[in-house]
Amino acid sequence: MSAFKIGVMVDSFRLSLEEGIKKSKEVGAAGIQIYATSGAMAPENLTPARRKEILDIIKSNGLVVSALCGDLGGHGFALPEDNVWKIEKSKRIMDLAKDLETNVVTTHIGVIPADKNHPRWKIMQDACNELGEYGDQVGAYFAIETGPEKAVVLKEFLDSLDAKGVRVNMDPANFVMVTGQDPVEAVYILKDYIVHTHAKDGIMKQQTDPERIYNYFAEGGIEDIRMSDYFVEVPLGEGQVDFDRYLRALKEVGFNGFLTIEREVGENPEADIRLAVEFLQRKIAEL
């Protein structure tokens, strides 16, 4: 019997936090992931009393926090001039995660170069070592979301770190949409590092340099390209992620954590999320 748990990115409902928590319970989720970078959920805006109140609301709905999202945007941790404040804020997000009784913070760190001699490699390595060491101290994981690079490059980068607190948030759709890698292959490559996953699906329309895609998002879309020419996110089961093989692979490598539904597009996210929960329930039952 699989021990997978189904989660929902609560922000995907596009409701207030409290309404999103209730809606997550209604659709049948066991946990929620919450963006914790700005606004009311930014750590600097949350008193100890408010943190306890949020946790009480979550628990009263029979849910847990699967992870926090600590994605601070831009080029991740690729620019040394940004890393001082980004590292400090990421540590505070890890503190918040512990207060909300989760030990996972997911984020994009930028595009890891395949060449270890590229200057960006060392910049990102230093940042992740510092965050990993802090994670080791407080008992939290800083989980890099898959997508910008092939799994072998990400594994080589992770293997190079001194700290153990940096792990992986596995997003199968990012692999198929951007790098063109089979997520099943990626599971076996990254098996020792996966602590959380996003349940998402997508289709690659045409291959391009992943760095071009992520630079487009990092720089606010200033380049004159249309993402829809390259890939599209679709409801679970309608894209190129083979969920039967993917879930079997996760089970085989011993992952028993959250499959957290992330729906970033669409006009009716609640309907899409309900269908995604039902889809995952069926797939899990078939394992």
Side-chain angles (χ1 to χ4, degrees), residues 15-212:
L15 300 170
S16 70
L17 178 62
E18 285 83 354
E19 291 174 325
I21 291 169
K22 291 176 183 175
K23 194 66 69 175
S24 298
K25 179 184 180 180
E26 286 179 21
V27 301
I32 57 172
Q33 183 175 8
I34 310 170
Y35 269 87
T37 55
S38 62
M41 281 303 298
E44 63 269 21
N45 295 329
L46 289 169
T47 64
R50 177 58 177 159
R51 295 176 188 216
K52 184 179 184 304
E53 181 183 12
I54 291 170
L55 185 59
D56 287 345
I57 294 169
I58 293 167
K59 287 183 171 181
S60 70
N61 281 276
L63 301 171
V64 300
V65 180
S66 70
L68 295 185
C69 180
D71 193 340
L72 298 173
H75 290 275
F77 294 88
L79 303 178
E81 61 269 25
D82 290 342
N83 284 357
V84 174
W85 75 264
K86 284 190 172 184
I87 289 170
E88 183 61 27
K89 179 141 184 177
S90 295
K91 290 178 180 179
R92 301 292 75 80
I93 295 172
M94 280 194 270
D95 293 338
L96 174 60
K98 295 297 291 184
D99 287 344
L100 296 179
E101 297 184 359
T102 183
N103 63 351
V104 179
V105 173
T106 72
T107 191
H108 287 280
I109 66 165
V111 183
I112 301 169
D115 180 4
K116 289 198 292 186
N117 295 314
H118 191 293
R120 193 167 68 233
W121 173 286
K122 182 69 163 56
I123 294 166
M124 298 171 76
Q125 184 186 52
D126 288 344
C128 286
N129 261 328
E130 184 172 348
L131 288 164
E133 288 169 3
Y134 190 76
D136 290 343
Q137 291 173 23
V138 301
Y141 294 126
F142 191 69
I144 299 171
E145 183 163 332
T146 57
E149 59 282 312
K150 296 281 190 178
V152 289
V153 174
L154 178 53
K155 182 181 185 298
E156 185 177 27
F157 179 79
L158 291 164
D159 288 345
S160 79
L161 301 178
D162 299 321
K164 303 301 180 186
V166 179
R167 298 296 178 95
V168 165
N169 176 51
M170 181 75 184
D171 189 314
N174 289 349
F175 274 127
V176 301
M177 291 191 298
V178 181
T179 64
Q181 175 155 28
D182 179 3
V184 175
E185 178 187 37
V187 167
Y188 291 114
I189 293 169
L190 297 168
K191 60 185 175 63
D192 295 331
Y193 292 103
I194 301 169
V195 294
H196 189 265
T197 78
H198 279 164
K200 198 167 75 181
D201 206 350
I203 296 168
M204 176 188 284
K205 292 187 173 180
Q206 62 174 303
Q207 182 84 54
T208 189
D209 181 0
E211 191 150 354
R212 186 182 183 209

